[in-house]
Structure formats: C-alpha cells, structure tokens
Amino acid sequence: MGYNPDKPMDGRISDLGPPHYEQFFPPVIKANKGKWLYHEIIQPGVLMHKSETGDEVYSIRVGSPRLVSIEYIREVCDIADKHCDGFLRFTTRNNIEFMVDSKDKVQPLLDTLASYGNSYPVGGTGAGVTNIVHTQGWVHCHTPATDASGVVKAVMDELFDYFTSHKLPAQVRIALACCLNMCGAVHASDIAILGVHRKPPMIDNERITGVCELPLAIASCPLGAVKPAKAEVNGKEIKSVKVNVDRCMFCGNCYTMCPAMPLADPEGDGIAILVGGKVSNSRTAPKFSKLVIPFLPNNTPRWPEVVEAIKKILEAYASDAKKYERVGEWAERIGWEKFFEKCDIPFTEKSIDDYRLAYDTWRTTTQFKYTSHIK
Amino acid sequence: MPTIEHNGSSFEVDEDGFLLNGDDFNADWVDYVKGVEGISEMTDEHQKVIDALQEYYKKNGIAPMVRILSKTTGFPLKRIYELFPSGPGKGACKMAGLPKPTGCV
C-alpha cells in the first residue's frame, strides 16, 4: 500500500533500526568471524586476512568521491556481482572494499577495476594518504566558509601517488570541514583543512523577529560578543541583537542559531590549515590538530594555494620523519618551531592560542631551538 | 516567501511552512497546520501544548526545551508525538506560531 497523505499514521512502520550487518557478510567473513589470525598488505590497496580455519579473504580497497550518484552505486554493485558474489563494504573513510575468498580472484577484479580508467583507484592502505574525510560544503550546507568536494578533489589529484603507494613514514589522515563546526575528523587529523570566516555577521533586523529566538543567538557566542539591542524597523521598535565586532572571532555559531545573522563573504572566507592530530593510541596518546596556516583564499575551482600548502607539509614530513611517526609526533619531537622552519610556513600571531585555557599552550621553559623564524 | 491563504486569513510563511511573523497567529493558522501536520482532531491536549509553548515563548523569547515542555504540560515525549506526529519542533512549534527551530537539526 502506498503512502496516504490524508492518513499519514496509517500502516506507518517505525523504529526498525538498521538491518543487522550479518545479513550482508560475505560467506567467508561469516564463517570466520572472530577467528582471524593475522593480516598482510600484499600491495597498496590489497589486504589478505588469514583465519585459523585456513581460510583467506582478500580485500581490495578503492577510493570513492563519497558524494556519488545512484548510477555509480549500481556500477559498484555490478563489480561486486561479477567478482564478489554481490558483497561489498564501505570503510570509515568512505573507501569501498571488495572482498574475494581466494588469491586467483584478485587479479581479475583488479583488471575489471582498471578497465574503468581512474574511476576506481586501488589504494588507501598502509603508510600512504587515504581518502579525505569531508563534509557538505557548497553542495548542501548553509553555514560553510568553503567548499568540500571541490577542495578534496583538488588535493587528492595532487596527492594521488600517495594514495596508491606506501612511501610515507606512517599513514597520513587528511580531513576537511567547511566550517568550524568541524563535522567529521578535522580536529584530530594529521593534516586538516578548515573553512574559516574573517568578517562579523550582518544583522538583518527586518527578518530577525520572525526567525530568531534571540536568547539562543546571544548564548551561542563563545566570546559574549552578541548582546540584546533595540532596533527600528519601519518606524517600529523591535527587539534585536548587536555584535561587538572587536570581540567577534567569526565562528558563525550565531548564524547557526539565528538565520538573520549571515556572515559568509566571498573575500573574507577561506581555508585554515591545521596539522598534527591523531585518534589512535599507538605509541602516543590521541592529539588535537593545531593551527599552522591561518588563512588561504577560496580560489575556485582548484584551490592552488591550499593544494600547494598541503603538499609542502606532506613532503617535509615524508623526508624528515622517522618510520611509524605520525605528523603530530614528528612535530612534537623536532619542536614546533622546527616544524614551521622545515615546512617553510611563516609563523603568525594567529597560531598563538588566546582562548580561555590558552596559557598552557605557551612556552614555560627556556628550551627551544633557534630557527630562521627568529632572527 | 510564499503566502498561505486559509479560511480568509493570509499567512506569510517560509519554505518549511513556519510563520515568519508570530503576530499573524490566529485560530485559522491552527486549523491550517492541523491539516498539513496530519492531526485529525484538535483536542484540549493539543491546545495545552500550544498554550504552554506560547506562554514560554512570550516570557523567555525561546521555545522551551523538550523536558521543560513535558514537565509543564505533564505529557511525556511519547504523548507529545502522539498528539503531534512530526514532533514538538516541526509539529507543535509550527502550530503555535513560534520561529523555526535552528541549529544542527
């Protein structure tokens, strides 16, 4: 029975939750669940897991643009039908994994993937650059300071060699968020691309009464820059807000709460680069990423400044870090002043924390290294 | 922005059907939202939720948190969903003429 808009609750099914994942296990995964002995990365993008029953499963990981059409998904299904009995999975970084249960089936699958040109690049394993975790950008969101898909494409084009190889000291996780809501992994990634504003919100007094709950807009400000105020619209006094521009750091939280306070601006908006975060507990504790480049312009459609900056950081890290060392571990070992020197990034006052708990981030020791940044 | 005509009253609304001006609120608005939100019959319970929302909004300038709405009306969240199938935000706040909920919703 189709949906009847006159009786919306009739025959309504709800609270089913997602289907149980075991329904979609390839037979070899189902049979060996919880029995895996070890795994190997045979080549970039191809893993082999060995079970105590002697079974093997080969996973072929391919990059995906995350934002995909139904046609693309159907094509992926066709590949899975042809080689993997109709089974496949997506990874937590939005790569696709095709799994086969014997080594003979790997090469034919790789050949099929290669026949689509660069649509299904095999890689994303080991010490390389895997897929970029990213957000909606100008495709769908209303608070972004930059685009997501466009920047990601530009960066991955430049770093494509690192996706299909294992030539870095450790895996490098790149993430992008198009505003500092930081949907996704930006705050804890080796290299993070973050959309930032540089202008305060504009207050639209004509709309604010109907669309805004003013106390929410006031409470949304982390710096107390939004204050209640009276305004005059068409000769009538209304309740509104005003922004203390000197206190505003352009986070955009008030716009999230109040649609009458937009702050997007083509010249003001752009991208900040953060580095050194990680989420794993291996060797060192998880870290937050830190701001190293405060602003790069939104230069559509290829963001050349952003791409260049990321490549420079990645190459400096690749040539200098020790094996297994993540970007943050490397920067902390050599000291951040050396990080700025080796990556050739000018240090600006924007990198000096000045928010509430800032004191702990300043240097309270005489231990430091002389660098080209201190002349 | 679209204008809705219902029983001779006209309402300026946004693309999600929320009133752009809370002062436009009247009985015709309630009757109109009743139709679009899948509410077959207005009961005293509906009215109690609407009144609670409007009173809180008038006093505080914001819509109440869900727990406050439950506490003041005495309806658990489940009952509010039974009254307003779209929920307290999309259903009840719309009918009460409050601004559209904002944030990551």
Side-chain angles (χ1 to χ4, degrees), chain A residues 23-338:
Chain A
Q23 279 175 258
F24 309 104
F25 274 169
V28 59
I29 299 285
K30 193 164 205 162
N32 295 288
K33 188 187 171 196
K35 298 178 190 164
W36 302 106
L37 287 178
Y38 64 89
H39 75 276
E40 285 167 13
I41 305 179
I42 294 175
Q43 67 186 70
V46 183
L47 299 107
M48 186 278 289
H49 286 77
K50 184 85 173 178
S51 161
E52 60 189 37
T53 63
D55 283 353
E56 288 175 347
V57 61
Y58 291 81
S59 311
I60 288 81
R61 188 176 295 170
V62 302
S64 104
R66 191 182 70 90
L67 189 69
V68 297
S69 65
I70 292 268
E71 283 89 347
Y72 175 94
I73 293 173
R74 289 200 172 124
E75 203 170 81
V76 171
C77 292
D78 287 343
I79 298 171
D81 281 338
K82 198 167 157 194
H83 294 276
C84 319
D85 303 321
F87 294 97
L88 68 96
R89 67 182 285 265
F90 280 80
T91 71
T92 54
R93 296 190 81 85
N94 307 303
N95 291 305
I96 305 170
E97 272 186 14
F98 297 102
M99 288 151 289
V100 293
D101 52 13
S102 89
K103 193 161 192 178
D104 321 330
K105 297 179 183 171
V106 173
Q107 196 53 48
L109 173 53
L110 290 176
D111 292 342
T112 301
L113 292 169
S115 72
Y116 288 97
N118 266 343
S119 297
Y120 300 99
V122 176
T125 54
V129 173
T130 183
N131 219 349
I132 299 183
V133 167
H134 63 281
T135 55
Q136 304 193 33
W138 296 330
V139 171
H140 196 70
C141 192
H142 68 297
T143 64
T146 187
D147 190 27
S149 297
V151 190
V152 164
K153 167 72 173 151
V155 172
M156 279 315 275
D157 277 352
E158 188 66 27
L159 304 183
F160 188 70
D161 280 351
Y162 293 101
F163 183 81
T164 53
S165 67
H166 295 155
K167 52 188 178 192
L168 292 171
Q171 72 268 40
V172 171
R173 301 288 185 239
I174 304 179
L176 176 146
C178 42
C179 80
L180 43 62
N181 222 6
M182 293 197 177
C183 303
V186 156
H187 64 297
S189 290
D190 292 291
I191 302 176
I193 309 163
L194 178 66
V196 289
H197 302 285
R198 293 187 301 168
K199 298 198 175 169
M202 300 156 272
I203 297 164
D204 183 351
N205 282 323
E206 308 223 323
R207 288 180 67 216
I208 200 160
T209 309
V211 297
C212 248
E213 301 170 44
L214 299 179
L216 293 187
I218 293 159
S220 72
C221 183
L223 295 174
V226 182
K227 288 266 184 299
K230 298 253 190 271
E232 214 182 274
V233 176
N234 304 331
K236 236 171 68 182
E237 194 179 69
I238 58 150
K239 283 183 188 168
S240 179
V241 292
K242 67 167 186 263
V243 175
N244 180 347
V245 174
D246 291 336
R247 283 194 80 86
C248 180
M249 61 172 175
F250 329 119
C251 69
N253 273 351
C254 51
Y255 177 58
T256 302
M257 298 316 293
C258 174
M261 299 177 75
L263 78 165
D265 180 273
E267 272 77 48
D269 296 355
I271 280 173
I273 306 285
L274 295 80
V275 305
K278 72 196 265 287
V279 289
S280 83
N281 281 284
S282 53
R283 301 170 305 278
T284 57
K287 298 179 205 300
F288 283 130
S289 0
K290 295 181 196 297
L291 180 92
V292 294
I293 302 178
F295 183 79
L296 296 166
N298 270 331
N299 222 336
T300 57
R302 298 297 294 180
W303 281 268
E305 297 86 355
V306 175
V307 171
E308 192 200 2
I310 288 171
K311 194 160 192 208
K312 222 154 107 178
I313 294 170
L314 191 71
E315 282 174 351
Y317 157 77
S319 65
D320 198 60
K322 293 179 177 168
K323 197 173 182 191
Y324 303 128
E325 207 167 41
R326 299 284 293 267
V327 172
E329 295 167 337
W330 168 64
E332 286 184 4
R333 175 173 60 81
I334 63 175
W336 282 96
E337 67 270 37
K338 279 285 173 193

Side-chain angles (χ1 to χ4, degrees), chain B residues 7-75:
Chain B
N7 292 352
S9 298
S10 84
F11 305 100
E12 221 188 326
V13 299
D14 65 11
E15 66 277 13
D16 293 314
F18 278 80
L19 273 188
L20 280 174
N21 187 356
D23 296 342
D24 290 352
F25 177 87
N26 61 26
D28 291 337
W29 174 253
V30 174
D31 190 61
Y32 162 74
V33 176
K34 189 179 124 205
V36 294
E37 289 297 319
I39 296 162
S40 45
E41 200 188 345
M42 279 294 288
T43 63
D44 290 350
E45 290 183 311
H46 287 100
Q47 197 56 49
K48 195 172 171 188
V49 174
I50 303 288
D51 289 347
L53 286 171
Q54 286 181 334
E55 194 188 318
Y56 192 94
Y57 184 74
K58 213 168 151 188
K59 197 169 147 204
N60 299 296
I62 59 172
M65 279 126 267
V66 169
R67 289 164 58 134
I68 293 175
L69 183 64
S70 286
K71 210 169 172 179
T72 51
T73 57
F75 301 142

